[in-house]
Each structure stands twice: as structure tokens, then as C-alpha cells.
Amino acid sequence: MSLLSLALPAIRVYLIGLRVVLHQLLRRLRPDCPFKPVFPLQNEKVAIVTGGAGGIGYHTVKHLARLGMHVIIAGNSDNEGQETVMKIKEEALNAKVEFLYCDLSSMKSVRQFVQVFKAKNCPLHVLINNAAVMLVPEGKTEDGFEQHFGVNYMGHFLLTNLLLETLKQSGTHTHNARIVTVSSATHYVGELRLNNLQSSCLYSPHGAYAQSKLALVLFSYRLQHLLTVEGSLVTVNVVDPGVVNTNLYQNVCWAAKVVKWMTSWLLLKTPEEGASTLIYAAVSPELEEVGGCYLCNEQKTKSADVSYDEELQKRLWTESCRLAGIPDTAL
């Protein structure tokens, strides 16, 4: 295999990133840029946010808590999680925020998290699948999954399925329960290879990351279809936060780090700006009973053509159930 073939995934990812960055810059320069929306209070509602201790997840948790939501941060660092809880409670004295340990790279840890949450006997109105790894070196999770596929996709796939019954019981005709999954514009250049989901052949961190983000879109659309057929009061939407200045870029090449350091103040969104569409998807009245959408900058937009391939959605769903060890008839 040629060096060009190995480099293509990285080239595609950086090109799509450049396009998104330029779009963000043009949007910032627009004189008619809308004001931030004001959302209704969410008292008595419960949300889970994976990766809520930092980056856009942190700002999502903080905003939801300010709206009166009881927010549970699911993360893999006890110290960071507890520090985040204290920080948010100091800023908003009445904030209902707590941390529960959940390592998305471990199917066992995900199952344990769900057991601990269910023992609380509380409802669940919003699940935000936000946590992710990006461009990490080749490696496997304890379950044998490629790291991007295991953490970004399989961890959230299992978590969502194990919490579905609680979500269904919590949704009402006037206030559906919501699942919000964070993808990325890189899914547009992602290729889902069902015979090589673990990127075991010619590993590319860029290709593996893009595949995991495409898988999340396919999974979300399939789940929304199944929930609609069943008549469940739960909606599923996908969010593209844009190119955000977070720690996810720690694994990019040194040249990209230099460019990011020099231009982030102008070209990249702040974590707070990146969180805006997650918050919109979680609580906006405009999205009541609305699912199966790809959202960017608080607007519905079209995802990659391949993401609407229903046969591919079905095949990924079936294979994911097998890998997660759950029945394909879970719904």
C-alpha cells in the first residue's frame, strides 16, 4: 500500500476541518449573528452528560444546572469529576450536580455505571453522549476494540441501550426524553467498513476517528427509526459542535499545534460556544417531538449521504449489538 493511501484519511480530515473553520469565521463576521436563545427552566429533570468534566461537556453541564436540571457527570477521572462538581456548585449555589465514574473504554465499567444510576431510582430525561478521544495512537480497549471505535462509539452504544428503558419511562407526550449524540464534521469523510471496524488493517488515527463519528450518526438515525416505530416518547438527535478549542487536539502533529496556538482565538470556537448546540438539542422547545436530525450552529443540516443508508444502519446496529453482548431485540 502506498504512502499516499495511508495519508489520505489525514488529508481528508484536515480539509474538512479547514472548511468548518472558515465557515465559523464567516459566521462570526456576520452582522446579523443571532443572540443566544433563552431556554425554559428544567426543574425536576435529570440529565447524564458523558465527558462533562471538561471542554464543551463542562459548559453543557454548567448551563443545564443553571436551568435547574439535576445533572450527572459520567467520566473516568474521580478527581477531575469531583473538582468540576465543586466548581459548578460554587458558581451556582443551587446547582444539582454529581459525578459518577464511567470508563467508556470498558464495557464492564459502563454496565456498573448504569447499575449505580438505576439504584438511585430517578428518571432520566436527557442523555448527552459527548465524551470522545481523538487521533490517539493505535491501541485496544480492554474489550479488544480499537480505541476510537471503543470509546467514541461502542461505549456510548452500550450506555444508550442500557438506559433506554429509563428514558422511555421518563418521556411524556408534552416533554419527550432526549438523546443527544455528539459527532463531528469529520464524519463526512468517514468510511464505515463493517469487515474492519477495529481498523486492524493499515491503521490511521484520522480514519479511525472519522469512522467512529460516522458510526454515531448511523446509530442515532437507526435508533430514532426504531423508537418511532415503537411509539416511544424519546427523540434522538446528532450534534456537530464545530471546531472547538479543547484538549482533544493534544494528539495532532506539531505543525497543527503551532497553527492552532496562533489562530485559535480567531478561528476556533471556545468550549462555551461549542456547547451551545448541545444545550439547544437538550432543552429547546423547538425540538420537542423532533428527532433524527443533524444539528450544527443550532440549525438542522444535512449529514453525509452515506449516513442515510438504511441498510448500512441496520447492519451496523446488528453488529454493534453482537459486539456489546446485548440482544438485537433490545427495543
Side-chain angles (χ1 to χ4, degrees):
M1 187 63 67
S2 68
L3 291 176
L4 178 59
S5 298
L6 290 174
L8 276 177
I11 294 171
R12 293 191 186 111
V13 167
Y14 283 119
L15 285 176
I16 198 72
L18 177 60
R19 189 182 76 177
V20 174
V21 164
L22 291 175
H23 175 74
Q24 289 177 180
L25 177 60
L26 290 173
R27 190 168 183 268
R28 282 186 174 182
L29 296 176
R30 282 172 48 192
D32 60 336
C33 190
F35 293 104
K36 290 184 179 180
V38 177
F39 298 117
L41 293 177
Q42 304 292 310
N43 297 326
E44 309 303 323
K45 290 190 177 181
V46 179
I48 292 175
V49 181
T50 66
I56 63 176
Y58 164 75
H59 289 281
T60 300
V61 170
K62 183 168 68 172
H63 198 112
L64 294 180
R66 286 176 174 173
L67 291 174
M69 241 183 203
H70 174 188
V71 188
I72 297 171
I73 298 171
N76 61 0
S77 172
D78 284 304
N79 290 337
E80 185 181 19
Q82 297 300 344
E83 288 174 2
T84 300
V85 169
M86 289 189 292
K87 183 178 180 181
I88 293 176
K89 286 187 174 181
E90 288 174 358
E91 294 180 4
L93 296 179
N94 295 322
K96 298 177 182 178
V97 184
E98 63 178 302
F99 172 82
L100 291 180
Y101 184 85
C102 180
D103 182 356
L104 289 166
S105 69
S106 165
M107 300 289 100
K108 179 180 178 181
S109 179
V110 171
R111 292 180 183 276
Q112 290 175 337
F113 169 84
V114 173
Q115 289 179 346
V116 172
F117 171 74
K118 287 188 174 181
K120 294 178 174 292
N121 292 315
C122 65
L124 178 60
H125 303 94
V126 177
L127 169 63
I128 300 182
N129 295 319
N130 163 70
V133 295
M134 186 173 79
L135 307 185
V136 295
E138 185 173 10
K140 302 291 184 182
T141 68
E142 68 175 48
D143 301 288
F145 302 135
E146 184 278 320
Q147 290 191 80
H148 295 93
F149 186 76
V151 175
N152 299 354
Y153 176 69
M154 283 303 303
H156 285 124
F157 177 86
L158 179 61
L159 178 67
T160 302
N161 273 280
L162 295 180
L163 291 171
L164 265 181
E165 195 56 41
T166 305
L167 285 158
K168 292 176 187 177
Q169 294 171 0
S170 304
T172 67
H173 287 284
T174 54
H175 293 93
N176 287 183
R178 302 186 186 191
I179 299 171
V180 180
T181 296
V182 181
S183 183
S184 160
T186 57
H187 91 274
Y188 287 104
V189 297
E191 296 181 46
L192 191 82
R193 299 176 179 177
L194 287 169
N195 61 346
N196 189 35
L197 289 173
Q198 308 311 325
S199 302
S200 56
C201 301
L202 300 173
Y203 178 78
S204 161
H206 298 83
Y209 177 70
Q211 176 183 243
S212 72
K213 290 301 184 178
L214 173 59
L216 286 169
V217 182
L218 289 159
F219 151 64
S220 298
Y221 290 169
R222 177 60 178 167
L223 178 56
Q224 180 61 70
H225 169 75
L226 294 171
L227 290 168
T228 300
V229 170
E230 189 185 57
S232 295
L233 302 174
V234 183
T235 60
V236 189
N237 287 302
V238 187
V239 165
D240 175 359
V243 181
V244 185
N245 188 13
T246 70
N247 291 332
L248 275 180
Y249 293 92
Q250 61 186 338
N251 294 306
V252 300
C253 66
W254 67 268
K257 287 182 179 178
V258 171
V259 173
K260 174 179 175 289
W261 176 75
M262 295 175 62
T263 63
S264 60
W265 64 274
L266 175 64
L267 300 179
L268 304 189
K269 288 184 177 181
T270 65
E272 185 174 10
E273 290 172 332
S276 63
T277 305
L278 279 72
I279 299 163
Y280 171 78
V283 300
S284 174
E286 295 178 8
L287 291 179
E288 191 58 57
E289 299 184 349
V290 177
C293 298
Y294 187 83
L295 305 169
C296 183
N297 295 321
E298 297 92 54
Q299 295 179 340
K300 300 175 190 176
T301 188
K302 188 175 182 292
S303 55
D305 290 340
V306 69
S307 66
Y308 298 103
D309 185 333
E310 295 182 3
E311 183 59 30
L312 186 59
Q313 294 170 12
K314 293 178 185 178
R315 292 173 63 195
L316 175 63
W317 179 275
T318 298
E319 179 63 10
S320 301
C321 287
R322 185 187 72 80
L323 293 172
I326 60 176
D328 197 355
T329 56
L331 289 172

